[in-house]
């Protein structure tokens, strides 16, 4: 009876790994993101597909206006005043060792809701990995701000790619051939971080 029990415990502790997949500790990774035009969401989903973990979209207590000009004015005012919009999204970060943080570039800065998230939680001792989409102007000061707000964290090299241009009513871009190319870029990036094996 004891031999049978030992065999059962051993077999039940084994994980089946599909060919070509890298085994990951998905239960200690969080992928949190802010996405208005779904491009950052697309990157978050690619990361999730590659490494697993928990996927979490940031939602605000008071959502931003739909009108592009109105949101630009509101975000500019929030950045100037230092206002941190309250988040509807809540998460227990204590159970995560690695946290991916995704966001678009807004006004060449880190979006206020991401600042809210980083100010709301103590991420010291954790691995933090930023990823970004933008309208072609780059990351601005966003990655630097992540480093400033994540005291005591190990910050790994971030990923950035061009997404939509909401100003010109160009929304989701990371689809079709662009998505396939982006998937390759994300895979190369994750491999460089030693999160995926090449």
């Amino acid at each position: 009876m004891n031999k049978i029990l030992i065999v059962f415990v051993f077999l039940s502790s084994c994980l089946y790994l599909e060919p070509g997949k890298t085994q990951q500790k998905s239960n200690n990774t969080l992928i949190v993101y802010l996405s208005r035009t779904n491009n950052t969401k697309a990157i978050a989903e690619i990361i999730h597909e590659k490494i697993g973990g928990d996927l979490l979209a940031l939602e605000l207590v008071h959502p931003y206006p739909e009108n592009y000009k109105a949101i630009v004015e509101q975000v500019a005012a929030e950045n100037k005043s230092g206002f941190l919009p309250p988040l509807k999204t809540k998460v227990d970060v204590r159970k995560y060792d690695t946290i991916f943080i995704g966001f678009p570039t807004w006004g060449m800065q880190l979006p206020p809701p991401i600042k809210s998230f980083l100010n709301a939680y103590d991420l010291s001792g954790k691995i933090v990995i930023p990823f970004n989409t933008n309208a072609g102007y780059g990351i601005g000061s966003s990655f630097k701000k992540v480093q400033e707000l994540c005291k005591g964290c190990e910050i790994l090299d971030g990923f950035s790619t061009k997404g939509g241009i909401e100003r010109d009513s160009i929304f989701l871009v990371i689809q079709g051939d662009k998505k396939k190319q982006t998937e390759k870029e994300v895979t190369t990036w994750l491999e460089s971080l030693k999160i995926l094996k090449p």
Side-chain angles (χ1 to χ4, degrees):
M1 178 64 76
N2 289 339
K3 290 182 179 180
I4 295 174
L5 178 59
I6 291 171
V7 171
F8 172 77
V9 170
F10 173 76
L11 290 175
S12 65
S13 67
C14 294
L15 297 176
Y16 172 74
L17 197 61
E18 294 180 32
K21 296 287 184 179
T22 302
Q23 183 174 329
Q24 299 294 327
K25 294 182 179 179
S26 62
N27 61 346
N28 67 351
T29 299
L30 174 65
I31 305 162
V32 60
Y33 67 92
L34 175 73
S35 190
R36 182 170 168 86
T37 62
N38 288 327
N39 285 286
T40 307
K41 178 183 178 183
I43 301 299
E45 290 175 342
I46 292 171
I47 296 170
H48 183 249
E49 180 182 327
K50 299 293 180 183
I51 67 168
D54 292 337
L55 193 60
L56 181 69
L58 280 188
E59 296 182 36
L60 303 179
V61 172
H62 307 291
Y64 284 114
E66 292 297 324
N67 180 271
Y68 175 73
K69 184 177 179 181
I71 188 177
V72 168
E73 292 175 353
Q74 182 174 332
V75 168
E78 290 174 352
N79 283 332
K80 186 176 181 180
S81 68
F83 176 74
L84 299 177
L87 300 175
K88 181 179 179 181
T89 304
K90 306 295 181 186
V91 60
D92 182 2
V93 298
R94 294 172 298 178
K95 63 181 182 178
Y96 301 106
D97 298 324
T98 301
I99 300 180
F100 287 82
I101 301 175
F103 47 85
T105 302
W106 283 358
M108 298 307 291
Q109 298 186 45
L110 188 68
I114 298 295
K115 295 176 190 175
S116 294
F117 177 81
L118 294 178
N119 275 276
Y121 298 103
D122 178 10
L123 304 183
S124 57
K126 300 183 185 300
I127 296 172
V128 172
I129 311 171
F131 62 97
N132 164 272
T133 60
N134 59 79
Y137 298 102
I139 61 173
S141 63
S142 62
F143 282 12
K144 183 178 179 182
K145 192 65 176 180
V146 169
Q147 290 182 330
E148 290 177 7
L149 295 176
C150 291
K151 300 297 184 184
C153 298
E154 180 181 357
I155 313 291
L156 301 189
D157 290 339
F159 174 85
S160 182
T161 190
K162 183 177 178 180
I165 307 175
E166 187 178 5
R167 178 195 61 209
D168 299 335
S169 299
I170 301 173
F171 297 102
L172 183 62
V173 172
I174 301 176
Q175 55 187 333
D177 290 340
K178 169 67 173 175
K179 184 176 180 182
K180 291 178 183 177
Q181 178 59 36
T182 303
E183 286 177 345
K184 293 179 182 178
E185 294 171 0
V186 170
T187 298
T188 300
W189 167 58
L190 293 174
E191 289 173 351
S192 73
L193 299 178
K194 310 301 182 185
I195 292 175
L196 278 181
K197 294 181 181 178

